[in-house]
Amino acid sequence: MKSLEELQAIRDRKKAEINNRTTGENNIRIIVGMATCGIAAGARPVLQAFGEEIESRKLENVTLGQTGCIGLCKYEPIVEVFVPGQDKVTYVHMDAKKAREVITSHILNGKPIAEYTYKE
Amino acid sequence: MIELSLNILDITYNSIRAGAKNIDITVRADFCTDEMEISISDDGCGMSEEMVKTVSDPFTTTRTTRKVGMGIPLFKMYAEMCGGALRINSEPGVGTTIAATMKISHIDRPPMGDLGQTMTTLIGASPATEFKLNFVSDGKEYIFDTKEIKETLDGVEIENVEILSFLREMINENIENLIGGKIL
């Protein structure tokens, strides 16, 4: 079973790591809607998947955030991606698998996945 | 909501928005009496008596107050649907406690689900807030307290994804160990 001793080992490793994470206006922002509508539709594992991908791929220029209800409850889980200098991309009906695809296609290769975006 | 831990996540966001510095989440599951209680207690801004009366009703509240919506009505519905009740105690300037009781074996009761992920999602949403989870079952108790974790971390950010993933597993393993094979 995981214990605080193990956490200490992770802490010591983290302290030794050089933190290259950048903060500022040039960061890509990924925002997940976490209101009642989003949570009920499955936003919690979506947020988790983005967090895991950003951590494991060491994406130091990407920040992950949470927000409330965006007003399109029937399209939840909704994820907004802000790439500096580009139009905002709104992904709808997201799940953990789609989140990982957005990381590889949109964030890493600069190709938004049109199929998953919001269409009026 | 397909998991009670999602209701907990949803209700606890209200506490964060109420400016709470300390949020205590208690899950009590007594398998011998077949009763469970989930309570979320905060030291946020609290609500007036009038507000407490209206928060359980989605139709009178959503149109007038943006910060109240379906969260509490849904939680109340689950409690009442599963042989229990929802209780709200609140005082302006002091804080709010929301508690739901349920019959563990009730056929309509959603499973508890990933409580660890609920806790780490909350920490990610508001790392400065102190969260405490008390999980009590048949006289045994597991306490997860971000104050203790932050002391152990000694300046390393608690909202770091690797640390959150570790904490999620630690919480879930401890709960599983505590209830020992029973299903909640």
Side-chain angles (χ1 to χ4, degrees), chain A residues 1-8 10-15 17 19 34-37 39-40 42 44-45 47-48 51-52 54-55 58 64 66 68-69, chain B residues 1 3 5-6 9-10 13 70-71 74 114 117-118 120-121 124-125 148-149 152-154 156 160-163 165-170 173-174 177:
Chain A
M1 203 158 65
K2 291 198 169 43
S3 63
L4 290 179
E5 285 70 44
E6 261 179 273
L7 184 63
Q8 283 169 359
I10 299 176
R11 173 200 67 195
D12 294 341
R13 185 160 46 75
K14 288 281 164 199
K15 275 188 172 172
E17 271 174 24
N19 191 358
M34 291 294 290
T36 306
C37 45
I39 295 168
R44 191 184 64 183
L47 185 76
Q48 171 92 16
E52 284 171 4
I54 291 167
E55 173 72 18
K58 307 257 176 271
L64 179 62
Q66 304 184 17
C69 178
Chain B
M1 303 278 177
E3 296 177 10
S5 65
L6 292 175
L9 178 64
D10 188 23
Y13 278 119
M70 291 297 289
L74 269 173
D114 197 335
Q117 197 178 56
T118 278
T120 53
T121 305
E148 186 190 19
I149 302 296
T152 307
L153 286 173
D154 189 27
V156 173
N160 175 285
V161 175
E162 191 185 345
I163 289 170
S165 299
F166 174 86
L167 295 177
R168 174 194 177 195
E169 284 175 38
M170 186 178 83
E173 283 178 9
N174 275 281
N177 182 56

Side-chain angles (χ1 to χ4, degrees), chain B:
Chain B
M1 303 278 177
I2 54 167
E3 296 177 10
L4 289 173
S5 65
L6 292 175
N7 289 98
I8 296 174
L9 178 64
D10 188 23
I11 298 295
T12 310
Y13 278 119
N14 293 344
S15 299
I16 294 174
R17 276 193 297 274
K21 290 189 172 64
N22 298 282
I23 301 173
D24 285 9
I25 297 167
T26 303
V27 176
R28 196 175 47 76
D30 289 320
F31 288 95
C32 13
T33 56
D34 197 30
E35 282 167 356
M36 69 181 287
E37 185 183 61
I38 296 169
S39 78
I40 296 125
S41 192
D42 69 54
D43 60 356
C45 62
M47 294 181 282
S48 66
E49 219 174 299
E50 200 53 40
M51 185 81 162
V52 172
K53 279 181 195 153
T54 57
V55 285
S56 301
D57 183 354
F59 300 108
T60 55
T61 56
T62 46
R63 302 258 168 180
T64 54
T65 335
R66 278 198 67 90
K67 66 175 179 179
V68 189
M70 291 297 289
I72 294 171
L74 269 173
F75 199 30
K76 185 174 189 246
M77 182 190 82
Y78 282 120
E80 290 174 354
M81 194 166 80
C82 303
L86 184 93
R87 172 174 56 84
I88 305 173
N89 292 322
S90 191
E91 203 179 314
V94 179
T96 301
T97 297
I98 294 188
T101 53
M102 277 166 223
K103 204 170 171 318
I104 294 174
S105 66
H106 199 287
I107 190 131
D108 291 323
R109 186 183 66 80
M112 178 53 67
D114 197 335
L115 199 49
Q117 197 178 56
T118 278
M119 294 308 296
T120 53
T121 305
L122 288 166
I123 296 167
S126 186
T129 310
E130 300 299 351
F131 295 96
K132 192 173 170 187
L133 170 71
N134 300 279
F135 193 99
V136 190
S137 181
D138 294 330
K140 287 181 286 181
E141 187 178 31
Y142 168 64
I143 297 172
F144 169 83
D145 191 342
T146 53
K147 277 185 194 149
E148 186 190 19
I149 302 296
K150 283 174 189 169
E151 265 171 40
T152 307
L153 286 173
D154 189 27
V156 173
E157 288 176 343
I158 193 168
E159 66 268 36
N160 175 285
V161 175
E162 191 185 345
I163 289 170
L164 290 182
S165 299
F166 174 86
L167 295 177
R168 174 194 177 195
E169 284 175 38
M170 186 178 83
I171 294 166
N172 287 339
E173 283 178 9
N174 275 281
I175 292 171
E176 206 175 309
N177 182 56
L178 191 84
I179 60 175
K182 294 192 191 78
I183 310 260
L184 190 63

